[in-house]
Amino acid sequence: DTGVSQDPRHKITKRGQNVTFRCDPISEHNRLYWYRQTLGQGPEFLTYFQNEAQLEKSRLLSDRFSAERPKGSFSTLEIQRTEQGDSAMYLCASSLALQGGGTDTQYFGPGTRLTVL
Amino acid sequence: GQNIDQPTEMTATEGAIVQINCTYQTSGFNGLFWYQQHAGEAPTFLSYNVLDGLEEKGRFSSFLSRSKGYSYLLLKELQMKDSASYLCALRGGYQKVTFGIGTKLQVIP
């Protein structure tokens, strides 16, 4: 199965520490998205990439959050100086955008569950 | 901006039909998705509507009315494994997709 993968699946950290998550999209997909989801809520958009370019970033995303996709393949999401409010499931999704348009369906990875103590 | 409304919880009986509604307001529209999410798992794609009308896919169908800002997901012949949250998601003017809070469906025997 060559679906979207994320690492680690679980991360427990102390407040104030930095954490980094990795996402490997489906290999031919050119778009990659990061979402955050808390209990009882839908996924909340954080940012997305088309190839290596970061094209949109949520206004809700503080300066402590940064994402990269250096070679247009895997992506990393870093949270600096973590806070308890950062505790959530961090989801990555990828999609294939065709030049002619059409359906651009996002396929999700299993997520990284972050707990900040 | 975008606003999505869907019921938070629903209960239905195994073997029955259930309709989950979603209403939305948006300044730009490029399609509406439905995803299924079991507890503790990632969302999985169910359907995508960009034109008005009904899209049928096995036991699942999705309907869209752009003029009314309305969609529904119809699940037929309900099975216990259909107990999950169903997320309505809107693609606006750009590629960003905004998700509703999800409707938690409980299927009972």
Side-chain angles (χ1 to χ4, degrees), chain A residues 31 37 42 48 104-106 109, chain B residues 35 37 42 45 91 95 97 100:
Chain A
R31 285 191 180 145
Q37 187 175 27
Y48 99 93
D104 173 16
T105 300
Q106 295 179 32
Chain B
Y35 281 82
Q37 187 175 28
F45 171 75
R91 168 163 280 153
Q95 299 310 318
V97 174

Side-chain angles (χ1 to χ4, degrees), chain B residues 17-33:
Chain B
I17 299 173
V18 70
Q19 178 174 312
I20 301 174
N21 295 325
C22 171
T23 58
Y24 64 87
Q25 297 167 325
T26 181
S27 54
F29 180 86
N30 276 312
L32 188 140
F33 298 87

